[in-house]
Amino acid sequence: MNTIWILEDVNLFNLLCPHKFKEYKACHTFDAYKKSDYIYFEEDAANKIYLIENGKVKIGYYNEDGTEVVKAILRKGELFGEKAILGEEKRDEFAQSLDNNTSICPVGVDTMHDLMRDNKTFSLRIYKFIGLKFKKLERRLQLLLFKDSKTRLLEFLDELCSDYGYNCEKTGNQVIKHPYTQKDIASLIGISRPTLNILMNELKADNYLDFDRKEIRLFKHSA
C-alpha cells in the first residue's frame, strides 16, 4: 500500500512551486483565504493549478439533490486543480478553504506547461502525482459506493495508518497522528459526525482503539 501512496509524505509545494525557479520568482504571488472562502467553484474556468503553502482545503462537488460530496481534504504541501494540466476547461468540483490562514500558490496552466516542457524530471513528477491521486480518489469513491459505514471507517483508519501511523515500541500499538478533525473524517467517508462518534465509541468499547483529538491508537491484539 505504501508504494501506491508514496507521494503522501512529499511536500509538493517545495518541489513544484514556481517561486523555486529563478525565471518565475519575480512575478510570483500568493493568495490568502479565510475559513469557508472558496478558491474556485464548479463550472469556473480551469486555467490554474494550486499549491497549498499553508492551511487546509476541501475538494468536493454537489450531487443532483444538492448533497455535498467531499472528495478530499488537502493540507500544506499538496496540489489541486491539476486536471487543468490535462486539458480540463471547466471545473467539475469546488475548492474551499478550511482554515483562517490558508495560503495558496496559484500557477497558470501555461506556466506549468513551460516548466514541464523545460524540465523532464519536473514533468515526470507531475504526471506520477496525478496518476497516484486518481488511484486514491477511485479507492475512496469505491468505499462510498459499496461499503457500509463501519467498513468505510475501518478502511479509512487503515489508510490513515499507512499515511500517518507508526509502531509504538513499548506497546506494539499503531499510533496515528493525523491532521483531520472528526468533521473532516465524517465528510471523507460520507457519514454524519454523530454517526462517526457512535462508531468510534463502539470500537473503543470493543478495545479495538482509543482516540483523542489528534491521535488514534489501534491496539496490537486487534490490528
Side-chain angles (χ1 to χ4, degrees), residues 12-168:
L12 289 166
F13 176 83
N14 287 337
L15 291 176
L16 307 181
C17 179
H19 202 76
K20 309 296 179 181
F21 297 83
K22 185 177 180 181
E23 61 269 38
Y24 295 99
K25 188 171 184 177
C27 60
H28 183 55
T29 59
F30 295 90
D31 294 336
Y33 296 88
K34 297 295 186 183
K35 187 174 182 178
S36 299
D37 286 349
Y38 283 89
I39 294 114
Y40 58 75
F41 297 93
E42 294 180 64
E43 299 299 319
D44 278 358
N47 52 17
K48 295 178 182 178
I49 68 165
Y50 302 85
L51 293 145
I52 304 173
E53 183 198 21
N54 195 51
K56 287 197 298 185
V57 172
K58 176 171 67 178
I59 307 297
Y61 64 92
Y62 293 95
N63 62 23
E64 291 181 357
D65 65 5
T67 302
E68 181 182 278
V69 178
V70 178
K71 294 167 65 175
I73 293 174
L74 307 176
R75 63 195 189 282
K76 179 177 179 179
E78 295 192 270
L79 174 151
F80 61 97
E82 69 282 347
K83 284 184 287 186
I85 299 172
L86 305 178
E88 178 186 64
E89 295 182 353
K90 289 187 176 181
R91 303 293 183 190
D92 60 2
E93 62 192 18
F94 66 79
Q96 183 182 30
S97 169
L98 294 179
D99 282 344
N100 277 319
N101 60 343
T102 298
S103 177
I104 302 292
C105 160
V107 185
V109 172
D110 290 342
T111 298
M112 186 59 69
H113 284 161
D114 287 345
L115 288 168
M116 292 169 70
R117 184 171 53 250
D118 296 339
N119 188 319
K120 197 170 287 186
T121 300
F122 180 89
S123 181
L124 288 172
R125 282 173 176 161
I126 286 286
Y127 284 123
K128 184 177 181 181
F129 164 77
I130 291 173
L132 295 178
K133 191 171 181 182
F134 283 170
K135 284 183 181 179
K136 187 168 187 177
L137 176 58
E138 181 181 17
R139 181 173 180 267
R140 181 156 292 147
L141 290 177
Q142 286 175 345
L143 277 181
L144 293 175
L145 290 170
F146 303 116
K147 304 294 177 72
D148 61 56
S149 297
K150 188 171 184 178
T151 303
R152 283 184 234 166
L153 175 58
L154 291 173
E155 293 200 18
F156 185 72
L157 290 173
D158 185 53
E159 184 179 314
L160 283 183
C161 198
S162 294
D163 291 346
Y164 303 104
Y166 65 91
N167 284 310
C168 175

Side-chain angles (χ1 to χ4, degrees), residues 199-213:
L199 291 173
M200 291 292 285
N201 282 309
E202 284 180 355
L203 291 171
K204 183 176 181 179
D206 290 340
N207 206 31
Y208 184 90
L209 56 74
D210 196 6
F211 65 95
D212 57 30
R213 189 166 172 268

